[in-house]
Short mmCIF file of all heavy atoms in Angstrom, two decimals:
data_model
loop_
_atom_site.label_atom_id
_atom_site.label_comp_id
_atom_site.label_asym_id
_atom_site.label_seq_id
_atom_site.Cartn_x
_atom_site.Cartn_y
_atom_site.Cartn_z
N MET A 241 76.10 -70.42 98.51
CA MET A 241 76.26 -70.31 97.10
C MET A 241 75.52 -69.06 96.62
O MET A 241 74.44 -68.77 97.07
CB MET A 241 75.67 -71.57 96.43
CG MET A 241 75.97 -71.61 94.92
SD MET A 241 75.41 -73.14 94.21
CE MET A 241 76.85 -74.18 94.52
N THR A 242 76.11 -68.32 95.73
CA THR A 242 75.54 -67.12 95.23
C THR A 242 74.61 -67.39 94.06
O THR A 242 74.63 -68.44 93.44
CB THR A 242 76.66 -66.15 94.79
OG1 THR A 242 77.42 -66.77 93.71
CG2 THR A 242 77.58 -65.83 95.96
N GLY A 243 73.77 -66.39 93.77
CA GLY A 243 72.82 -66.48 92.66
C GLY A 243 73.17 -65.54 91.53
O GLY A 243 74.04 -64.66 91.70
N LEU A 244 72.60 -65.73 90.44
CA LEU A 244 72.83 -64.89 89.27
C LEU A 244 71.55 -64.73 88.49
O LEU A 244 70.87 -65.78 88.18
CB LEU A 244 73.91 -65.55 88.34
CG LEU A 244 74.19 -64.94 87.00
CD1 LEU A 244 74.86 -63.55 87.18
CD2 LEU A 244 75.04 -65.81 86.18
N ALA A 245 71.15 -63.53 88.17
CA ALA A 245 70.02 -63.25 87.35
C ALA A 245 70.48 -62.75 86.02
O ALA A 245 71.33 -61.92 85.91
CB ALA A 245 69.11 -62.22 88.04
N ILE A 246 69.89 -63.25 84.94
CA ILE A 246 70.27 -62.86 83.61
C ILE A 246 69.11 -62.07 83.03
O ILE A 246 67.98 -62.60 82.86
CB ILE A 246 70.60 -64.03 82.71
CG1 ILE A 246 71.74 -64.83 83.26
CG2 ILE A 246 70.91 -63.60 81.29
CD1 ILE A 246 72.03 -66.12 82.58
N LYS A 247 69.37 -60.80 82.71
CA LYS A 247 68.30 -59.96 82.15
C LYS A 247 68.48 -59.87 80.67
O LYS A 247 69.57 -59.98 80.11
CB LYS A 247 68.43 -58.56 82.73
CG LYS A 247 68.19 -58.50 84.26
CD LYS A 247 68.28 -57.09 84.77
CE LYS A 247 68.01 -57.10 86.28
NZ LYS A 247 68.10 -55.73 86.80
N LYS A 248 67.32 -59.70 79.98
CA LYS A 248 67.28 -59.56 78.54
C LYS A 248 67.92 -60.73 77.81
O LYS A 248 68.61 -60.53 76.78
CB LYS A 248 67.91 -58.23 78.09
CG LYS A 248 67.19 -57.03 78.68
CD LYS A 248 67.82 -55.74 78.24
CE LYS A 248 67.08 -54.55 78.88
NZ LYS A 248 67.62 -53.28 78.49
N LEU A 249 67.66 -61.94 78.26
CA LEU A 249 68.13 -63.15 77.58
C LEU A 249 67.37 -63.32 76.31
O LEU A 249 66.09 -63.40 76.34
CB LEU A 249 67.98 -64.35 78.49
CG LEU A 249 68.45 -65.71 77.95
CD1 LEU A 249 69.97 -65.70 77.76
CD2 LEU A 249 68.02 -66.80 78.86
N PRO A 250 67.98 -63.35 75.12
CA PRO A 250 67.23 -63.53 73.84
C PRO A 250 66.43 -64.84 73.91
O PRO A 250 66.93 -65.88 74.38
CB PRO A 250 68.33 -63.59 72.83
CG PRO A 250 69.50 -62.91 73.43
CD PRO A 250 69.41 -63.21 74.89
N SER A 251 65.21 -64.76 73.36
CA SER A 251 64.33 -65.95 73.46
C SER A 251 64.93 -67.11 72.66
O SER A 251 64.74 -68.28 73.09
CB SER A 251 62.92 -65.59 72.96
OG SER A 251 62.98 -65.14 71.61
N ALA A 252 65.61 -66.87 71.58
CA ALA A 252 66.20 -67.99 70.83
C ALA A 252 67.26 -68.67 71.65
O ALA A 252 67.37 -69.92 71.64
CB ALA A 252 66.80 -67.43 69.52
N LEU A 253 68.09 -67.93 72.38
CA LEU A 253 69.12 -68.50 73.25
C LEU A 253 68.44 -69.26 74.39
O LEU A 253 68.90 -70.38 74.76
CB LEU A 253 70.01 -67.43 73.77
CG LEU A 253 71.20 -67.89 74.62
CD1 LEU A 253 72.07 -68.83 73.88
CD2 LEU A 253 72.02 -66.66 75.06
N HIS A 254 67.39 -68.71 74.97
CA HIS A 254 66.67 -69.41 76.04
C HIS A 254 66.13 -70.75 75.57
O HIS A 254 66.19 -71.77 76.24
CB HIS A 254 65.53 -68.52 76.48
CG HIS A 254 64.70 -69.18 77.58
ND1 HIS A 254 63.53 -69.86 77.30
CD2 HIS A 254 64.85 -69.22 78.94
CE1 HIS A 254 63.01 -70.30 78.43
NE2 HIS A 254 63.76 -69.91 79.42
N GLN A 255 65.55 -70.74 74.37
CA GLN A 255 65.01 -72.02 73.74
C GLN A 255 66.09 -73.04 73.56
O GLN A 255 65.94 -74.23 73.85
CB GLN A 255 64.27 -71.71 72.46
CG GLN A 255 63.49 -72.88 71.96
CD GLN A 255 62.40 -73.33 72.86
OE1 GLN A 255 61.78 -72.54 73.60
NE2 GLN A 255 62.16 -74.62 72.89
N ARG A 256 67.24 -72.60 73.01
CA ARG A 256 68.38 -73.52 72.83
C ARG A 256 68.87 -74.11 74.13
O ARG A 256 69.17 -75.30 74.22
CB ARG A 256 69.50 -72.86 72.08
CG ARG A 256 69.17 -72.59 70.58
CD ARG A 256 70.21 -71.76 69.85
NE ARG A 256 71.59 -72.18 70.14
CZ ARG A 256 72.63 -71.32 70.07
NH1 ARG A 256 72.42 -70.05 69.76
NH2 ARG A 256 73.84 -71.75 70.35
N LEU A 257 68.96 -73.27 75.12
CA LEU A 257 69.37 -73.75 76.47
C LEU A 257 68.39 -74.74 77.02
O LEU A 257 68.77 -75.78 77.57
CB LEU A 257 69.55 -72.54 77.40
CG LEU A 257 70.00 -72.90 78.82
CD1 LEU A 257 71.35 -73.56 78.82
CD2 LEU A 257 70.01 -71.65 79.69
N LYS A 258 67.09 -74.48 76.87
CA LYS A 258 66.05 -75.35 77.35
C LYS A 258 66.10 -76.71 76.66
O LYS A 258 65.97 -77.76 77.29
CB LYS A 258 64.68 -74.68 77.10
CG LYS A 258 63.52 -75.38 77.71
CD LYS A 258 62.24 -74.57 77.50
CE LYS A 258 61.04 -75.24 78.16
NZ LYS A 258 59.85 -74.42 78.04
N GLN A 259 66.31 -76.69 75.35
CA GLN A 259 66.45 -77.96 74.61
C GLN A 259 67.67 -78.74 75.03
O GLN A 259 67.65 -79.95 75.17
CB GLN A 259 66.49 -77.69 73.10
CG GLN A 259 65.17 -77.15 72.52
CD GLN A 259 65.32 -76.66 71.09
OE1 GLN A 259 66.44 -76.43 70.59
NE2 GLN A 259 64.18 -76.39 70.49
N ARG A 260 68.78 -78.03 75.22
CA ARG A 260 70.01 -78.69 75.64
C ARG A 260 69.85 -79.33 77.03
O ARG A 260 70.30 -80.44 77.26
CB ARG A 260 71.18 -77.67 75.62
CG ARG A 260 72.49 -78.25 76.07
CD ARG A 260 73.56 -77.21 75.99
NE ARG A 260 74.77 -77.72 76.61
CZ ARG A 260 75.98 -77.50 76.24
NH1 ARG A 260 76.17 -76.77 75.18
NH2 ARG A 260 77.01 -77.98 76.89
N ALA A 261 69.21 -78.60 77.94
CA ALA A 261 68.93 -79.13 79.26
C ALA A 261 68.12 -80.36 79.19
O ALA A 261 68.40 -81.40 79.89
CB ALA A 261 68.31 -78.09 80.16
N ALA A 262 67.06 -80.40 78.40
CA ALA A 262 66.21 -81.57 78.24
C ALA A 262 66.98 -82.70 77.66
O ALA A 262 66.85 -83.86 78.08
CB ALA A 262 65.01 -81.21 77.38
N ARG A 263 67.80 -82.45 76.66
CA ARG A 263 68.61 -83.47 76.01
C ARG A 263 69.56 -84.09 77.00
O ARG A 263 69.83 -85.31 76.91
CB ARG A 263 69.35 -82.85 74.85
CG ARG A 263 69.94 -83.80 73.87
CD ARG A 263 70.49 -83.08 72.61
NE ARG A 263 71.34 -81.97 72.84
CZ ARG A 263 71.07 -80.69 72.54
NH1 ARG A 263 69.93 -80.41 71.93
NH2 ARG A 263 71.92 -79.72 72.77
N ASN A 264 70.07 -83.31 77.94
CA ASN A 264 71.01 -83.86 78.93
C ASN A 264 70.37 -84.23 80.23
O ASN A 264 71.05 -84.55 81.18
CB ASN A 264 72.12 -82.79 79.15
CG ASN A 264 72.99 -82.60 78.00
OD1 ASN A 264 73.34 -83.55 77.29
ND2 ASN A 264 73.42 -81.37 77.74
N HIS A 265 69.02 -84.25 80.29
CA HIS A 265 68.28 -84.60 81.46
C HIS A 265 68.72 -83.79 82.71
O HIS A 265 68.96 -84.36 83.75
CB HIS A 265 68.38 -86.10 81.74
CG HIS A 265 67.96 -86.93 80.55
ND1 HIS A 265 66.64 -87.15 80.23
CD2 HIS A 265 68.70 -87.59 79.61
CE1 HIS A 265 66.55 -87.87 79.18
NE2 HIS A 265 67.79 -88.16 78.76
N ARG A 266 68.84 -82.47 82.54
CA ARG A 266 69.20 -81.60 83.61
C ARG A 266 68.21 -80.47 83.71
O ARG A 266 67.51 -80.16 82.78
CB ARG A 266 70.60 -80.95 83.34
CG ARG A 266 71.73 -81.93 83.27
CD ARG A 266 73.03 -81.10 83.02
NE ARG A 266 74.16 -81.97 82.95
CZ ARG A 266 75.13 -81.86 82.05
NH1 ARG A 266 75.06 -80.95 81.12
NH2 ARG A 266 76.12 -82.67 82.07
N SER A 267 68.21 -79.82 84.89
CA SER A 267 67.40 -78.59 84.99
C SER A 267 68.18 -77.53 84.22
O SER A 267 69.34 -77.65 83.86
CB SER A 267 67.27 -78.18 86.47
OG SER A 267 68.57 -77.81 86.97
N MET A 268 67.44 -76.42 83.95
CA MET A 268 68.09 -75.30 83.27
C MET A 268 69.25 -74.78 84.09
O MET A 268 70.27 -74.42 83.52
CB MET A 268 67.08 -74.22 82.91
CG MET A 268 66.01 -74.73 81.95
SD MET A 268 65.64 -73.82 80.49
CE MET A 268 66.29 -72.29 80.53
N THR A 269 69.05 -74.69 85.35
CA THR A 269 70.12 -74.15 86.24
C THR A 269 71.38 -75.03 86.19
O THR A 269 72.49 -74.53 86.00
CB THR A 269 69.63 -74.04 87.72
OG1 THR A 269 68.51 -73.18 87.76
CG2 THR A 269 70.75 -73.55 88.64
N LYS A 270 71.19 -76.34 86.27
CA LYS A 270 72.34 -77.26 86.22
C LYS A 270 73.00 -77.21 84.86
O LYS A 270 74.20 -77.35 84.69
CB LYS A 270 71.93 -78.66 86.58
CG LYS A 270 71.66 -78.80 88.05
CD LYS A 270 71.38 -80.21 88.48
CE LYS A 270 71.13 -80.30 89.93
NZ LYS A 270 70.87 -81.64 90.36
N GLU A 271 72.20 -77.03 83.77
CA GLU A 271 72.74 -76.92 82.49
C GLU A 271 73.61 -75.68 82.30
O GLU A 271 74.67 -75.73 81.69
CB GLU A 271 71.64 -76.99 81.39
CG GLU A 271 72.14 -77.12 79.99
CD GLU A 271 72.86 -78.45 79.74
OE1 GLU A 271 72.53 -79.45 80.38
OE2 GLU A 271 73.78 -78.46 78.91
N VAL A 272 73.12 -74.56 82.79
CA VAL A 272 73.90 -73.28 82.76
C VAL A 272 75.25 -73.48 83.47
O VAL A 272 76.29 -73.05 83.00
CB VAL A 272 73.10 -72.12 83.32
CG1 VAL A 272 73.98 -70.90 83.53
CG2 VAL A 272 71.93 -71.76 82.41
N ILE A 273 75.18 -74.10 84.66
CA ILE A 273 76.39 -74.33 85.41
C ILE A 273 77.35 -75.19 84.60
O ILE A 273 78.58 -74.92 84.56
CB ILE A 273 76.10 -74.98 86.80
CG1 ILE A 273 75.38 -73.93 87.66
CG2 ILE A 273 77.34 -75.48 87.48
CD1 ILE A 273 74.79 -74.49 88.97
N ALA A 274 76.82 -76.28 83.96
CA ALA A 274 77.69 -77.15 83.20
C ALA A 274 78.34 -76.38 81.99
O ALA A 274 79.51 -76.58 81.70
CB ALA A 274 76.90 -78.35 82.67
N VAL A 275 77.56 -75.56 81.33
CA VAL A 275 78.08 -74.79 80.20
C VAL A 275 79.11 -73.81 80.68
O VAL A 275 80.17 -73.72 80.03
CB VAL A 275 76.93 -74.02 79.51
CG1 VAL A 275 77.43 -73.03 78.52
CG2 VAL A 275 75.97 -74.99 78.82
N LEU A 276 78.85 -73.13 81.80
CA LEU A 276 79.87 -72.20 82.30
C LEU A 276 81.15 -72.91 82.74
O LEU A 276 82.27 -72.43 82.50
CB LEU A 276 79.31 -71.38 83.45
CG LEU A 276 78.26 -70.36 83.08
CD1 LEU A 276 77.61 -69.77 84.33
CD2 LEU A 276 78.84 -69.27 82.24
N GLU A 277 81.01 -74.06 83.38
CA GLU A 277 82.19 -74.83 83.77
C GLU A 277 83.03 -75.23 82.52
O GLU A 277 84.27 -75.13 82.55
CB GLU A 277 81.78 -76.07 84.58
CG GLU A 277 81.37 -75.76 86.01
CD GLU A 277 80.90 -77.01 86.71
OE1 GLU A 277 80.57 -78.03 86.10
OE2 GLU A 277 80.87 -76.94 87.97
N ASP A 278 82.34 -75.73 81.52
CA ASP A 278 83.04 -76.11 80.27
C ASP A 278 83.73 -74.90 79.64
O ASP A 278 84.89 -74.99 79.21
CB ASP A 278 82.06 -76.73 79.28
CG ASP A 278 81.58 -78.10 79.69
OD1 ASP A 278 82.23 -78.73 80.56
OD2 ASP A 278 80.61 -78.56 79.11
N ALA A 279 83.02 -73.79 79.61
CA ALA A 279 83.59 -72.58 78.97
C ALA A 279 84.75 -71.98 79.75
O ALA A 279 85.72 -71.51 79.17
CB ALA A 279 82.49 -71.56 78.77
N LEU A 280 84.66 -72.02 81.08
CA LEU A 280 85.64 -71.39 81.89
C LEU A 280 86.76 -72.38 82.31
O LEU A 280 87.78 -71.98 82.87
CB LEU A 280 85.02 -70.80 83.16
CG LEU A 280 84.01 -69.69 82.86
CD1 LEU A 280 83.36 -69.21 84.17
CD2 LEU A 280 84.68 -68.53 82.18
N GLY A 281 86.55 -73.66 82.06
CA GLY A 281 87.55 -74.68 82.31
C GLY A 281 87.80 -74.91 83.79
O GLY A 281 88.87 -75.28 84.17
N ALA A 282 86.82 -74.70 84.66
CA ALA A 282 87.01 -74.91 86.06
C ALA A 282 85.72 -75.49 86.68
O ALA A 282 84.64 -75.24 86.19
CB ALA A 282 87.33 -73.62 86.74
N GLU A 283 85.93 -76.31 87.73
CA GLU A 283 84.75 -76.88 88.38
C GLU A 283 84.39 -75.95 89.54
O GLU A 283 85.19 -75.23 90.06
CB GLU A 283 85.10 -78.26 88.94
CG GLU A 283 85.32 -79.29 87.86
CD GLU A 283 85.50 -80.63 88.43
OE1 GLU A 283 85.02 -80.95 89.48
OE2 GLU A 283 86.12 -81.48 87.73
N THR A 284 83.10 -76.03 89.95
CA THR A 284 82.67 -75.25 91.09
C THR A 284 83.17 -75.90 92.36
O THR A 284 83.77 -76.98 92.34
CB THR A 284 81.11 -75.20 91.11
OG1 THR A 284 80.62 -76.53 91.27
CG2 THR A 284 80.55 -74.52 89.86
N ALA A 285 82.98 -75.22 93.50
CA ALA A 285 83.39 -75.76 94.77
C ALA A 285 82.70 -77.03 95.07
O ALA A 285 83.23 -77.91 95.80
CB ALA A 285 83.18 -74.69 95.84
N THR A 286 81.47 -77.17 94.60
CA THR A 286 80.71 -78.39 94.83
C THR A 286 81.03 -79.36 93.72
O THR A 286 81.89 -79.13 92.90
CB THR A 286 79.20 -78.11 94.87
OG1 THR A 286 78.79 -77.56 93.63
CG2 THR A 286 78.84 -77.14 95.99
N SER A 287 80.33 -80.49 93.66
CA SER A 287 80.60 -81.44 92.60
C SER A 287 80.15 -80.96 91.25
O SER A 287 79.26 -80.10 91.15
CB SER A 287 79.94 -82.77 92.93
OG SER A 287 78.54 -82.57 92.98
N LYS A 288 80.71 -81.53 90.22
CA LYS A 288 80.31 -81.19 88.84
C LYS A 288 78.92 -81.75 88.58
O LYS A 288 78.53 -82.73 89.21
CB LYS A 288 81.36 -81.79 87.88
CG LYS A 288 81.17 -81.27 86.49
CD LYS A 288 82.36 -81.72 85.57
CE LYS A 288 82.15 -81.15 84.27
NZ LYS A 288 83.26 -81.37 83.37
N ALA A 289 78.21 -81.14 87.71
CA ALA A 289 76.83 -81.60 87.39
C ALA A 289 76.82 -83.06 86.93
O ALA A 289 77.79 -83.56 86.35
CB ALA A 289 76.28 -80.72 86.25
N ALA A 290 75.77 -83.71 87.31
CA ALA A 290 75.64 -85.17 87.02
C ALA A 290 75.62 -85.37 85.52
O ALA A 290 75.11 -84.54 84.72
CB ALA A 290 74.39 -85.71 87.59
N PRO A 291 76.14 -86.49 85.06
CA PRO A 291 76.20 -86.80 83.59
C PRO A 291 74.74 -87.10 83.18
O PRO A 291 73.88 -87.48 83.99
CB PRO A 291 77.04 -88.01 83.46
CG PRO A 291 77.02 -88.65 84.82
CD PRO A 291 76.83 -87.52 85.78
N PRO A 292 74.45 -86.93 81.89
CA PRO A 292 73.12 -87.25 81.39
C PRO A 292 72.70 -88.71 81.64
O PRO A 292 73.60 -89.58 81.61
CB PRO A 292 73.20 -86.96 79.88
CG PRO A 292 74.47 -86.29 79.67
CD PRO A 292 75.34 -86.51 80.82
N PHE A 293 71.47 -88.97 81.87
CA PHE A 293 70.94 -90.29 82.03
C PHE A 293 71.02 -91.10 80.77
O PHE A 293 70.65 -90.60 79.71
CB PHE A 293 69.51 -90.28 82.52
CG PHE A 293 68.89 -91.63 82.61
CD1 PHE A 293 69.17 -92.53 83.63
CD2 PHE A 293 67.97 -92.08 81.67
CE1 PHE A 293 68.65 -93.75 83.69
CE2 PHE A 293 67.39 -93.30 81.73
CZ PHE A 293 67.74 -94.17 82.72
N LYS A 294 71.57 -92.31 80.83
CA LYS A 294 71.66 -93.12 79.62
C LYS A 294 70.92 -94.44 79.95
O LYS A 294 71.49 -95.35 80.48
CB LYS A 294 73.09 -93.42 79.29
CG LYS A 294 73.85 -92.14 78.97
CD LYS A 294 74.91 -92.37 77.99
CE LYS A 294 75.64 -91.03 77.84
NZ LYS A 294 76.00 -90.63 76.60
N GLY A 295 69.64 -94.46 79.65
CA GLY A 295 68.81 -95.64 79.88
C GLY A 295 69.04 -96.73 78.81
O GLY A 295 69.86 -96.55 77.89
N ARG A 296 68.26 -97.77 78.92
CA ARG A 296 68.45 -98.83 77.99
C ARG A 296 67.84 -98.53 76.59
O ARG A 296 68.24 -99.01 75.60
CB ARG A 296 67.74 -100.11 78.50
CG ARG A 296 68.53 -100.73 79.64
CD ARG A 296 67.77 -101.97 80.10
NE ARG A 296 68.67 -102.71 80.98
CZ ARG A 296 68.54 -103.96 81.25
NH1 ARG A 296 67.51 -104.64 80.73
NH2 ARG A 296 69.39 -104.56 82.02
N PHE A 297 66.79 -97.68 76.61
CA PHE A 297 66.12 -97.35 75.35
C PHE A 297 65.53 -95.94 75.51
O PHE A 297 65.32 -95.44 76.58
CB PHE A 297 65.07 -98.33 74.99
CG PHE A 297 64.11 -98.63 76.08
CD1 PHE A 297 62.97 -97.82 76.28
CD2 PHE A 297 64.32 -99.66 76.93
CE1 PHE A 297 62.12 -98.05 77.31
CE2 PHE A 297 63.42 -99.93 77.98
CZ PHE A 297 62.34 -99.13 78.13
N ALA A 298 65.26 -95.36 74.36
CA ALA A 298 64.66 -94.00 74.35
C ALA A 298 63.18 -94.07 74.61
O ALA A 298 62.49 -94.96 74.10
CB ALA A 298 64.91 -93.34 73.01
N LEU A 299 62.67 -93.16 75.41
CA LEU A 299 61.23 -93.10 75.67
C LEU A 299 60.59 -92.18 74.64
O LEU A 299 60.27 -91.04 74.89
CB LEU A 299 60.95 -92.58 77.09
CG LEU A 299 61.41 -93.47 78.22
CD1 LEU A 299 61.13 -92.82 79.53
CD2 LEU A 299 60.68 -94.83 78.14
N THR A 300 60.42 -92.73 73.46
CA THR A 300 59.80 -91.97 72.36
C THR A 300 58.31 -91.90 72.51
O THR A 300 57.74 -92.65 73.26
CB THR A 300 60.18 -92.64 71.02
OG1 THR A 300 59.58 -93.97 71.02
CG2 THR A 300 61.65 -92.73 70.78
N ASP A 301 57.71 -91.01 71.78
CA ASP A 301 56.24 -90.87 71.81
C ASP A 301 55.59 -92.13 71.33
O ASP A 301 54.61 -92.60 71.84
CB ASP A 301 55.77 -89.72 70.90
CG ASP A 301 56.07 -88.35 71.51
OD1 ASP A 301 56.21 -88.32 72.77
OD2 ASP A 301 56.18 -87.37 70.75
N ARG A 302 56.21 -92.78 70.35
CA ARG A 302 55.66 -94.03 69.80
C ARG A 302 55.66 -95.12 70.88
O ARG A 302 54.70 -95.87 71.06
CB ARG A 302 56.49 -94.49 68.59
CG ARG A 302 55.98 -95.76 67.94
CD ARG A 302 56.80 -96.05 66.72
NE ARG A 302 56.30 -97.32 66.13
CZ ARG A 302 57.04 -98.13 65.49
NH1 ARG A 302 58.31 -97.88 65.28
NH2 ARG A 302 56.56 -99.30 65.01
N PHE A 303 56.79 -95.25 71.62
CA PHE A 303 56.89 -96.24 72.66
C PHE A 303 55.88 -95.97 73.75
O PHE A 303 55.20 -96.87 74.23
CB PHE A 303 58.31 -96.24 73.26
CG PHE A 303 58.44 -97.12 74.48
CD1 PHE A 303 58.68 -98.50 74.35
CD2 PHE A 303 58.35 -96.58 75.75
CE1 PHE A 303 58.77 -99.31 75.45
CE2 PHE A 303 58.44 -97.41 76.89
CZ PHE A 303 58.66 -98.76 76.70
N LEU A 304 55.73 -94.70 74.14
CA LEU A 304 54.81 -94.38 75.25
C LEU A 304 53.36 -94.60 74.81
O LEU A 304 52.55 -95.14 75.62
CB LEU A 304 55.02 -92.90 75.64
CG LEU A 304 56.36 -92.62 76.33
CD1 LEU A 304 56.55 -91.11 76.57
CD2 LEU A 304 56.49 -93.36 77.65
N ASP A 305 53.02 -94.29 73.60
CA ASP A 305 51.66 -94.53 73.08
C ASP A 305 51.33 -96.04 73.10
O ASP A 305 50.27 -96.46 73.50
CB ASP A 305 51.46 -93.96 71.68
CG ASP A 305 51.37 -92.47 71.70
OD1 ASP A 305 51.11 -91.87 72.74
OD2 ASP A 305 51.62 -91.86 70.60
N LYS A 306 52.32 -96.82 72.65
CA LYS A 306 52.12 -98.25 72.67
C LYS A 306 51.95 -98.79 74.04
O LYS A 306 51.14 -99.63 74.28
CB LYS A 306 53.36 -98.93 71.99
CG LYS A 306 53.21 -100.42 71.77
CD LYS A 306 54.40 -100.99 71.06
CE LYS A 306 54.31 -102.48 70.91
NZ LYS A 306 55.51 -103.05 70.26
N ALA A 307 52.76 -98.30 74.99
CA ALA A 307 52.64 -98.74 76.40
C ALA A 307 51.28 -98.34 76.97
O ALA A 307 50.68 -99.12 77.75
CB ALA A 307 53.77 -98.10 77.24
N LYS A 308 50.75 -97.19 76.63
CA LYS A 308 49.44 -96.75 77.15
C LYS A 308 48.31 -97.67 76.62
O LYS A 308 47.35 -97.92 77.29
CB LYS A 308 49.18 -95.27 76.72
CG LYS A 308 50.05 -94.31 77.46
CD LYS A 308 49.76 -92.91 76.89
CE LYS A 308 50.71 -91.90 77.48
NZ LYS A 308 50.51 -90.56 76.84
N ARG A 309 48.45 -98.09 75.36
CA ARG A 309 47.44 -98.93 74.74
C ARG A 309 47.53 -100.42 75.17
O ARG A 309 46.59 -101.13 74.96
CB ARG A 309 47.52 -98.86 73.23
CG ARG A 309 47.04 -97.52 72.64
CD ARG A 309 46.86 -97.62 71.13
NE ARG A 309 48.04 -98.15 70.46
CZ ARG A 309 49.04 -97.40 70.03
NH1 ARG A 309 49.04 -96.09 70.18
NH2 ARG A 309 50.06 -97.95 69.38
N ALA A 310 48.66 -100.79 75.74
CA ALA A 310 48.83 -102.19 76.14
C ALA A 310 47.75 -102.68 77.05
O ALA A 310 47.38 -102.01 78.00
CB ALA A 310 50.20 -102.39 76.77
N GLY A 311 47.13 -103.80 76.73
CA GLY A 311 46.08 -104.35 77.53
C GLY A 311 44.69 -103.77 77.28
O GLY A 311 43.74 -104.20 77.90
N ARG A 312 44.59 -102.78 76.43
CA ARG A 312 43.32 -102.15 76.12
C ARG A 312 42.71 -102.66 74.86
O ARG A 312 41.58 -102.29 74.54
CB ARG A 312 43.49 -100.63 76.04
CG ARG A 312 43.89 -100.01 77.32
CD ARG A 312 43.91 -98.51 77.20
NE ARG A 312 44.38 -97.87 78.38
CZ ARG A 312 44.45 -96.59 78.60
NH1 ARG A 312 44.10 -95.77 77.63
NH2 ARG A 312 44.93 -96.10 79.71
N GLU A 313 43.44 -103.43 74.13
CA GLU A 313 42.96 -103.86 72.79
C GLU A 313 42.18 -105.13 72.91
O GLU A 313 42.27 -105.93 73.74
CB GLU A 313 44.14 -104.00 71.85
CG GLU A 313 44.84 -102.65 71.59
CD GLU A 313 46.10 -102.81 70.82
OE1 GLU A 313 46.53 -103.95 70.51
OE2 GLU A 313 46.68 -101.77 70.52
#
């Protein structure tokens, strides 16, 4: 598989890509591949990127804080 380096990527675009990758539970590399596949309308020779994880509930800061405090009160 070949590599690609992107020079002079605007920081705002980098931040949007980073947020999108986090939202879809993917690495930045996998997110870029998914975006390019969608834009170009073709799949790579390997499998398409995995779909985002859909758990039973969101792991919000509030939920995590409550879980950390459980049993300490």
Side-chain angles (χ1 to χ4, degrees):
M241 187 174 276
T242 61
L244 173 68
I246 301 174
K247 296 181 181 181
K248 298 182 181 180
L249 180 67
S251 60
L253 183 58
H254 178 266
Q255 189 62 33
R256 287 175 43 209
L257 179 63
K258 188 174 182 178
Q259 290 170 349
R260 180 179 168 141
R263 196 171 48 246
N264 291 323
H265 304 282
R266 296 181 180 136
S267 67
M268 296 230 347
T269 300
K270 287 185 179 182
E271 190 64 31
V272 168
I273 291 170
V275 169
L276 288 172
E277 285 177 341
D278 288 345
L280 299 175
E283 293 186 27
T284 61
T286 61
S287 64
K288 192 170 182 174
F293 173 75
K294 300 211 183 220
R296 290 182 166 197
F297 52 85
L299 294 177
T300 62
D301 287 337
R302 181 176 178 212
F303 174 83
L304 293 173
D305 288 340
K306 185 177 177 183
K308 288 176 189 176
R309 286 192 310 270
R312 293 185 185 183
E313 297 172 355

